[in-house]
Amino acid sequence: MLLRRLRTVYVGEAGHRPGDPPTTTGLVALEAELLDRGFVLTPALHAALAWLGPAGLANAGKQLVRHIDAELGADRTHMPLFRSFPASVPDDTLQLYVDRVFTLLFQWPHQPCVLCSTVGSVHPVAPCAHLVCRECWDGADYSGCPVCHRRTADDDPFLKPAPPRRQVETAAGPVQPLVLGTDAAADAVTALGRLLARRTPLPPQDRDDVVALLAHTPAGLDWLPEEIPVRETKALVLGTLLRDRRTRDAVRAVLPARLTTATDVLRLLAVWSGGGADLLDTPRHRSLPRGLRRELLAVLDTLDPSSLVEDVLRHPERWKRAGETLHPNEQHARHPRAALAFAVLRATHVSTVSEPLAATLVRTAAENPLAVRADGALFKANTWTGRVEQAFAAGERGTVIALLAQRPGTLLRRLDQVLRMEGGCGASGRDASGRGASGRDASGRGASGPLAARAGARALRCRARSAAGRAGAAEDP
């Protein structure tokens, strides 16, 4: 893995034994093999390999070449469908597909070819038994069945010896140096830093590499980056470290600062249970130690109540299963917001719970009216989207703009609706967002490109309507 990530090679400690022949010839052969694949030994690695002796050098060289071949794909024989690839690939691939479909559907044995009408040229190929015309399909260029692309038997009559091909000289690419590895933990931290800095979700192989590299990192978390941009990657790292007893205590200390949303906690629980941080699979939740359970409830309780309730309702079934592990009602006095969020999720009726818990839920709901509202004996979420719709229905432009400003993406998508609110065009030429025709607000700050474009278009429409109104008034007698 470090060879693939950092081009680092680790060499064993075995050295020369008395009577061993020199390794000069073997090293020259290994360097030639590596150079043919685009790699070169650095002086330190060359000296370390020379110290191994003939047997050690042979084993290390075989392993090194095998790993590089596996990375480059050179350990597999590539046989393209067209032997003269890419020169013989048809220009009209659509017509090639149509010919294959016609041959598959309408070709019959002992009948003329459906494509060229030649008699006696249609024969099956082994082992798929598709009927192929020898006149339409060139057996000297194909290496498999033209219809299904399956590999055919080597002795099938359809295949013909191909003319000898001239060896094509290919330009050599850049040579990559192979470095001698001396500190596996430091190299693991370096490789991890590059993976964790990515701003896109990791593919499966990279996720597997992250898990493998974490096993070789130091027990302390001084190496952990201050910021991991992708939340799935962050949950994968924290969950994997939490599963390892060697690093469990250290990672528990940083959970309050690292988990900033309720979904972060849910992803962490998924990784802890052996699932994926992307929440695509549904593993059975693994039980939590009592101390860790209380710490996660404390993290949930410190979150903004509105965001907490919305995040919990975004994955209701997963959170219901997580609640069976977290037991939020047991510590409702310490973590009332977490208990209230689960009460909203479960549609808990006040009359079905104990009096202390009911009192905690009622008090916490009264303290957070923007997040939860009482609906009889139940608690309903007062979501951000619901507050926006209520403000639109009441015509409260100031409230609408203040709410939408919290989420610029939604503001951009609903800007036309904001601009169409009553009073969107005034005598001052300002729209409902408070920006003038120039796209600047009252403070003189410029708007973003999309907002300025929408505001400008709105101002032009207002001016056009005003001009049309004045022209109509002037024509009246």
Side-chain angles (χ1 to χ4, degrees):
M1 186 185 308
L2 294 177
L3 172 64
R4 186 174 69 253
R5 295 289 175 187
L6 303 178
R7 301 306 179 201
T8 303
V9 180
Y10 284 84
V11 179
E13 298 294 334
H16 274 285
R17 293 182 298 180
D20 282 343
T23 58
T24 305
T25 304
L27 272 174
V28 171
L30 176 59
E31 287 182 304
E33 292 282 345
L34 294 175
L35 191 60
D36 185 54
R37 291 160 174 80
F39 295 90
V40 64
L41 301 176
T42 57
L45 181 57
H46 185 281
L49 290 172
W51 178 251
L52 290 177
L57 176 62
N59 293 332
K62 289 178 181 179
Q63 292 182 12
L64 180 58
V65 172
R66 184 172 68 250
H67 290 317
I68 292 177
D69 285 347
E71 179 184 350
L72 300 177
D75 57 336
R76 297 174 178 84
T77 302
H78 176 62
M79 180 63 70
L81 178 64
F82 299 97
R83 299 190 210 178
S84 301
F85 177 87
S88 60
V89 176
D91 294 332
D92 191 352
T93 55
L94 176 60
Q95 185 60 45
L96 175 63
Y97 175 76
V98 172
D99 291 345
R100 290 173 55 206
V101 173
F102 267 70
T103 302
L104 177 65
L105 298 178
F106 303 115
Q107 192 70 274
W108 290 88
H110 311 297
Q111 296 293 328
C113 173
V114 296
L115 301 178
C116 66
S117 302
T118 302
V119 179
S121 61
V122 177
H123 302 283
V125 295
C128 60
H130 284 129
L131 299 173
V132 176
C133 176
R134 270 49 173 178
E135 299 295 330
C136 297
W137 312 97
D138 186 6
D141 187 40
Y142 276 89
S143 60
C145 173
V147 178
C148 67
H149 296 174
R150 183 180 178 182
R151 192 74 63 204
T152 58
D154 295 337
D155 57 351
D156 192 284
F158 171 70
L159 299 179
K160 299 177 183 178
R165 299 180 59 186
R166 181 177 62 86
Q167 186 68 26
V168 179
E169 295 292 337
T170 58
V175 176
Q176 303 182 55
L178 298 177
V179 183
L180 176 65
T182 57
D183 190 343
D187 288 341
V189 169
T190 302
L192 267 175
R194 297 179 181 179
L195 289 171
L196 303 186
R198 294 185 183 178
R199 297 188 174 275
T200 56
L202 300 178
Q205 182 180 5
D206 290 347
R207 292 199 296 267
D208 294 340
D209 288 353
V210 167
V211 174
L213 290 170
L214 286 173
H216 298 278
T217 56
L221 298 185
D222 296 338
W223 57 268
L224 191 63
E226 291 294 333
E227 179 186 4
I228 301 178
V230 181
R231 294 188 179 273
E232 291 90 338
T233 306
K234 177 173 65 175
L236 175 63
V237 173
L238 296 178
T240 304
L241 294 174
L242 198 61
R243 290 169 61 93
D244 190 350
R245 295 182 181 275
R246 180 178 59 93
T247 55
R248 181 172 300 174
D249 293 338
V251 75
R252 285 175 61 175
V254 302
L255 288 182
R258 298 282 181 166
L259 303 178
T260 57
T261 66
T263 307
D264 287 345
V265 178
L266 186 61
R267 296 183 193 278
L268 180 72
L269 290 174
V271 177
W272 167 265
S273 303
D278 51 12
L279 302 180
L280 296 179
D281 52 358
T282 55
R284 182 178 180 180
H285 279 276
R286 176 186 175 189
S287 62
L288 293 167
R290 180 175 299 179
L292 179 59
R293 184 170 70 242
R294 292 178 178 177
E295 292 168 5
L296 293 180
L297 287 173
V299 170
L300 294 176
D301 202 65
T302 58
L303 300 176
D304 177 70
S306 300
S307 301
L308 172 61
V309 173
E310 287 193 42
D311 284 353
V312 168
L313 294 179
R314 190 171 290 116
H315 304 281
E317 297 302 324
R318 297 181 183 277
W319 273 113
K320 288 179 181 179
R321 290 195 296 271
E324 299 173 358
T325 304
L326 292 172
H327 306 298
N329 292 342
E330 291 183 359
Q331 299 291 328
H332 63 85
R334 292 185 178 180
H335 315 298
R337 293 180 178 178
L340 180 62
F342 277 94
V344 174
L345 172 69
R346 296 167 171 172
T348 302
H349 199 280
V350 175
S351 62
T352 62
V353 298
S354 63
E355 292 184 4
L357 176 58
T360 299
L361 296 178
V362 172
R363 184 183 68 256
T364 308
E367 294 173 352
N368 300 278
L370 296 180
V372 177
R373 56 184 172 85
D375 186 4
L378 298 176
F379 300 100
K380 299 294 184 67
N382 190 14
T383 62
W384 178 87
T385 303
R387 297 199 302 272
V388 170
E389 296 301 335
Q390 292 175 4
F392 268 117
E396 301 174 354
R397 284 179 299 159
T399 304
V400 168
I401 295 173
L403 290 172
L404 292 179
Q406 300 173 7
R407 302 182 183 182
T410 307
L411 171 60
L412 182 59
R413 289 191 294 270
R414 306 192 66 172
L415 185 59
D416 282 340
Q417 185 179 359
V418 175
L419 297 177
R420 286 196 300 269
M421 295 183 70
E422 183 179 359
C425 290
S428 63
R430 295 193 177 276
D431 57 31
S433 65
R435 300 186 183 276
S438 64
R440 294 184 176 273
D441 58 17
S443 64
R445 294 175 299 180
S448 63
L451 293 177
R454 294 282 185 95
R458 177 66 177 176
L460 290 176
R461 290 197 297 268
C462 292
R463 292 179 181 178
R465 285 197 296 268
S466 299
R470 290 194 299 270
E475 291 177 0
D476 289 339

